[in-house]
Amino acid sequence: MTPTTETMFGIGGAAESTDMVLNIGPQHPSTHGVLRLRLVLDGERIVHAEPVIGYMHRGAEKLFEVRDYRQIIMLANRHDWLSAFSNELGVVLAVERMLGMEVPTRAVWTRTLLAELNRVLNHLMFLGSYPLELGGITPVFYAFREREVLQNVMEEVSGGRMHYMFNRVGGLKEDLPAGWASRARGAVAAVRSRMDVYDDLVLGNEIFRGRTRGVGALAPETVHAYGVSGPIARASGVDFDLRRDEPYLAYGELQDTLKVVTRQEGDCLARFEVLLEQTHVALDLADACLDRLAELEPGPINQRLPKVLKAPEGHTYAWTENPLGINGYYLVSKGEKTPYRLKLRSASYNNIQALVELLPGTLVADMVAILGSLFFVVGDIDK
């Protein structure tokens, strides 16, 4: 009988699963600015995600403290470079509240109009760029065509294409140019007439729906825990919109036109659908504002201010429903011409933190779809 020889082979740690750490960024084509994601992977599945921010930090809050109340408007409109007019609003509303200042009616309605046009410009960017991140290049060309139509009227009224600097404490820089209202109405009508391209080209695309339906579902509990707001929160069934729930500007008189768009699924597809439908609502609000402006008697567009503007000692908080979510300014004054403290609560900062909960358990292939559906601007994170 032949003797049997038994041999054992040691495989060491090679057979054990090993987590891999993957860095996405800090510069990557799927991000709207310089962001880094630190992912821990088990094979193709994400087990831990950490958004690493700060690469664009410019200390805006400290710069506020060494600028007077006219100059900080320039700083405020840059953190979310797609929502410049809306960013300016929060600052001037806070200072006006501290001063107990009443803004002329014409300025109130014009501000509301321009805020909604700015909302459409913001949303069009994401309606075009999100399909691009998933491999569909065509929608972004349509989006920029519509943006150009609205940019023209915004540039005509303010002189700026992105950073409008049109708000002033007490109103607006100047009145609307002659004939501008009719040109704005034509631009709104032109954009509205071509919005069905996103229904047909994007939502009607089975590949887009396959990449987004059921992917990256965000629970309402997570929305509340992380302070997520705006279209992302409403796509998860959180029915909250400051324009309706704490009206400012002229929104209190626009409740018949203002429709708060919500979905219950909370996935990437729901977030895109909310953004698209909200764009239609913003166009309707712009038309309503134009109708009201046409009825108003000629009058001032701003208040006369002293050469040196000082807010009285005290503090206040002014928040607005920006295109990407809630934007707030906490203003503390010591009675000087510069803020003692101006704390910025930006929408993107809170929204992006939800990635910690959204990404674990998903596949790496779905990471870009989830990241893009949060519709953020990195300058709005790194204040």
Side-chain angles (χ1 to χ4, degrees):
M1 183 178 180
T2 307
T4 303
T5 304
E6 200 170 288
T7 307
M8 294 185 65
F9 293 92
I11 57 174
E16 300 175 6
S17 63
T18 304
D19 289 342
M20 179 176 70
V21 178
L22 178 66
N23 279 293
I24 305 295
Q27 298 193 38
H28 191 273
S30 72
T31 63
H32 303 272
V34 186
L35 176 74
R36 174 185 164 208
L37 289 179
R38 185 179 181 275
L39 307 178
V40 179
L41 308 178
D42 182 6
E44 289 293 311
R45 198 165 294 278
I46 299 171
V47 296
H48 178 73
E50 177 191 358
V52 183
I53 63 176
Y55 293 95
M56 292 185 65
H57 178 59
R58 58 193 178 89
E61 290 183 356
K62 303 308 290 182
L63 292 174
F64 287 147
E65 298 172 11
V66 292
R67 303 290 191 279
D68 66 37
Y69 289 108
R70 292 179 175 92
Q71 294 170 327
I72 59 175
I73 298 172
M74 179 273 296
L75 289 171
N77 70 19
R78 281 163 164 74
H79 56 86
D80 175 2
W81 46 76
L82 296 178
S83 310
F85 189 87
S86 301
N87 297 343
E88 299 172 9
L89 267 178
V91 169
V92 295
L93 289 175
V95 179
E96 288 162 3
R97 185 178 300 170
M98 293 281 282
L99 293 168
M101 180 181 290
E102 186 174 344
V103 176
T105 303
R106 188 170 184 79
V108 171
W109 281 96
T110 306
R111 280 178 173 178
T112 310
L113 166 63
L114 296 176
E116 290 306 312
L117 292 179
N118 192 199
R119 192 180 309 275
V120 176
L121 283 168
N122 176 288
H123 290 356
L124 282 171
M125 173 63 78
F126 291 105
L127 291 173
S129 68
Y130 185 48
L132 179 64
E133 290 161 5
L134 298 181
I137 191 172
T138 308
V140 75
F141 295 121
Y142 288 102
F144 270 83
R145 178 187 64 182
E146 318 314 340
R147 276 177 54 85
E148 199 64 29
V149 173
L150 291 177
Q151 287 279 30
N152 288 339
V153 295
M154 292 293 283
E155 184 178 9
E156 180 186 356
V157 75
S158 68
R161 286 184 59 82
M162 287 186 69
H163 304 300
Y164 304 111
M165 275 298 295
F166 198 55
N167 276 288
R168 295 292 187 273
V169 176
L172 294 168
K173 177 186 174 185
E174 55 196 7
D175 207 344
L176 303 175
W180 181 88
S182 62
R183 290 188 288 277
R185 195 182 293 276
V188 170
V191 172
R192 182 187 286 109
S193 69
R194 296 195 287 254
M195 286 299 294
D196 60 343
V197 70
Y198 301 100
D199 288 308
D200 301 335
L201 195 63
V202 183
L203 290 179
N205 187 294
E206 62 182 29
I207 298 175
F208 178 84
R209 299 183 75 87
R211 290 289 306 276
T212 56
R213 185 193 284 120
V215 175
L218 183 63
E221 297 78 18
T222 307
V223 169
H224 293 302
Y226 283 85
V228 175
S229 61
I232 302 169
R234 292 191 283 273
S236 295
V238 178
D239 189 4
F240 181 71
D241 190 314
L242 284 174
R243 296 173 296 171
R244 179 198 63 193
D245 301 323
E246 283 197 25
Y248 58 98
L249 294 182
Y251 290 115
E253 300 181 46
L254 291 169
Q255 297 302 305
D256 292 339
T257 307
L258 174 60
K259 176 187 174 186
V260 178
V261 183
T262 61
R263 293 289 188 277
Q264 299 301 319
E265 296 81 4
D267 56 9
C268 295
L269 180 60
R271 292 191 277 273
F272 186 86
E273 288 176 343
V274 167
L275 203 73
L276 177 56
E277 193 171 341
Q278 195 169 274
T279 307
H280 286 280
V281 175
L283 291 169
D284 292 340
L285 288 169
D287 269 339
C289 290
L290 285 165
D291 291 340
R292 182 56 189 272
L293 281 169
E295 299 170 358
L296 291 177
E297 295 292 331
I301 199 76
N302 51 37
Q303 295 275 29
R304 292 183 63 87
L305 298 177
K307 183 173 291 186
V308 178
L309 180 63
K310 294 182 179 182
E313 188 170 349
H315 61 92
T316 190
Y317 182 67
W319 57 348
T320 54
E321 187 68 43
N322 271 31
L324 298 181
I326 294 174
N327 188 83
Y329 293 96
Y330 178 59
L331 170 63
V332 181
S333 172
K334 294 290 188 180
E336 302 296 331
K337 66 178 183 179
T338 61
Y340 175 76
R341 183 78 172 92
L342 189 61
K343 175 72 176 70
L344 167 60
R345 189 267 189 219
S346 61
S348 297
Y349 180 83
N350 288 71
N351 291 354
I352 204 68
Q353 307 306 320
L355 286 170
V356 174
E357 301 284 346
L358 269 179
L359 289 179
T362 63
L363 297 173
V364 176
D366 292 328
M367 184 268 299
V368 172
I370 296 170
L371 182 63
S373 73
L374 292 187
F375 311 129
F376 61 92
V377 170
V378 176
D380 203 39
I381 302 171
D382 297 343
K383 301 183 277 288

